[in-house]
Amino acid sequence: MIPFLAYSQGTPKEATINVLVPESPTRTTLTIDGQATKLTGSKRVFVTPPIEPGKTYAYKISVVIEPNNYTKIFRTREVTFKAGDEVTVDMTKEDKEKDKIEVRWVPTPDDIVDEMCKLAKVTKDDVVYDFGCGDCVMLVRAIKQFGAKKGVGLEIDEKIIKEKAEPYIKKAGLQDKIEVRKGDILDVKEKDCADATVVLLYIGDDLGARLGPVLQKALKPGSRVVSHRFTLGDWKPNKTIKVMGVDGDEYTLHLWIVPEKK
Ligand SMILES: C[S@@+](CC[C@H](N)C(=O)[O-])C[C@H]1O[C@@H](n2cnc3c(N)ncnc32)[C@H](O)[C@@H]1O
């Protein structure tokens, strides 16, 4: 009995952390307490080094989930445990601690932007927003080709703003008509886009599902949202069309028209 007590109270012992991550074909990389792991599979078992009995330890568990080759979802949790514990952390779903989501920059071809503007029926009375604006091609063409009166772009990547958007807007001579804001789509509030009458998007389904409810509340009735390829969560589009690009590829475009508020 005595040796057992001595062992259980005094000898350092491992803890086991089971991390559940989204299933394949999603690619997920797991970092535990700042250390990248090479663990694979939907249940990843991490054994800590021997730790002091009786003390509570906290580790930060981070995953980067890549549901496709253009989206990264960053999810973080904290797990607490003691020596000898086996704990399970479910990282398969978003929790109180909100996900961060980023999609990579892939520009929409000029002719497809024009098809989007036609679908949105952009006119000189419109204020056009692009959340995730990249080089601002959507805003530049909405103003140059369709006469929109103002463009507002939101972009998370400072380098893209400086190296792509600003030179492109300058070349088009539209510095006085386009405002580019640095920020995260996930932080957009209703007041941030209350003056938008048209929203053009190319942001992936994951960001779209988060932005959709904000737009539904923020935009005035009659405002139009057009998305290149991707959807806006549960908000069903009024119209979906397929257009042929000059590059010979087929593009899917969705249109939502904000209804009268009930
Ligand atoms: C697919 S590109 C589309 C660019 C442009 N709208 C177009 O169609 O040509 C998506 C853009 O959104 C930006 N972006 C990605 N995640 C974002 C986020 N969470 N908040 C704001 N911008 C984001 C990327 O840096 C990229 O420039």
Side-chain angles (χ1 to χ4, degrees):
M1 218 41 203
I2 289 164
F4 171 73
L5 275 178
Y7 174 79
S8 65
Q9 285 175 4
T11 308
K13 210 174 171 191
E14 295 88 0
T16 302
I17 304 171
N18 302 315
V19 185
L20 308 181
V21 304
E23 298 270 8
S24 158
T26 299
R27 204 170 80 112
T28 305
T29 44
L30 169 66
T31 301
I32 296 188
D33 216 33
Q35 303 278 318
T37 70
K38 291 206 167 81
L39 297 168
T40 56
S42 57
K43 180 180 173 183
R44 304 194 180 177
V45 181
F46 178 83
V47 179
T48 70
I51 51 178
E52 223 179 288
K55 265 178 79 173
T56 301
Y57 287 77
Y59 274 9
K60 194 168 142 188
I61 313 284
S62 309
V63 287
V64 181
I65 303 160
E66 295 176 63
N68 46 54
N69 67 4
Y70 47 83
T71 309
K72 284 189 177 164
I73 301 175
F74 304 87
R75 190 167 287 164
T76 302
R77 303 273 155 79
E78 194 181 84
V79 60
T80 56
F81 54 88
K82 291 183 175 162
D85 282 354
E86 176 168 352
V87 291
T88 299
V89 192
D90 185 357
M91 304 291 280
T92 58
K93 291 188 200 74
E94 187 171 26
D95 199 0
K96 287 187 292 289
E97 191 160 349
K98 293 287 171 210
D99 290 348
K100 290 261 154 218
I101 307 176
E102 285 184 28
V103 294
R104 70 186 164 86
W105 179 49
V106 181
T108 301
D110 291 0
D111 58 312
I112 303 306
V113 174
D114 293 353
E115 295 295 338
M116 294 173 74
C117 290
K118 281 185 213 160
L119 189 57
K121 296 200 170 87
V122 173
T123 72
K124 61 176 180 37
D125 300 321
D126 284 313
V127 174
V128 180
Y129 274 60
D130 177 357
F131 294 102
C133 60
D135 64 2
C136 285
V137 61
M138 288 179 162
L139 303 175
V140 167
R141 290 196 80 81
I143 296 171
K144 283 254 169 189
Q145 313 297 318
F146 296 84
K149 64 179 175 192
K150 183 182 160 191
V152 179
L154 182 81
E155 173 58 53
I156 201 164
D157 188 333
E158 180 86 48
K159 199 161 177 250
I160 291 180
I161 296 178
K162 291 277 165 260
E163 294 177 11
K164 304 287 177 193
E166 288 178 359
Y168 193 72
I169 294 166
K170 194 168 172 206
K171 193 165 164 220
L174 292 178
Q175 299 96 313
D176 58 335
K177 292 208 165 168
I178 297 180
E179 179 194 342
V180 183
R181 301 174 185 164
K182 182 180 178 320
D184 190 332
I185 290 169
L186 296 175
D187 296 331
V188 171
K189 303 281 181 295
E190 290 168 44
K191 64 174 174 42
D192 300 328
C193 53
D195 64 335
T197 58
V198 170
V199 177
L200 302 177
L201 298 170
Y202 186 30
I203 53 172
D205 290 328
D206 296 283
L207 279 172
R210 266 72 163 193
L211 184 63
V214 180
L215 295 180
Q216 269 179 297
K217 281 194 202 144
L219 302 180
K220 290 180 280 297
S223 303
R224 290 87 69 209
V225 181
V226 173
S227 169
H228 170 186
R229 183 172 164 189
F230 300 108
T231 54
L232 296 176
D234 296 338
W235 191 12
K236 296 278 167 283
N238 295 80
K239 196 172 180 181
T240 295
I241 63 167
K242 293 197 186 295
V243 294
M244 190 60 77
V246 291
D247 57 7
D249 288 343
E250 190 181 71
Y251 292 81
T252 301
L253 307 178
H254 305 285
L255 166 72
W256 292 259
I257 301 173
V258 178
E260 291 295 331
K261 310 274 185 234
K262 283 179 194 145

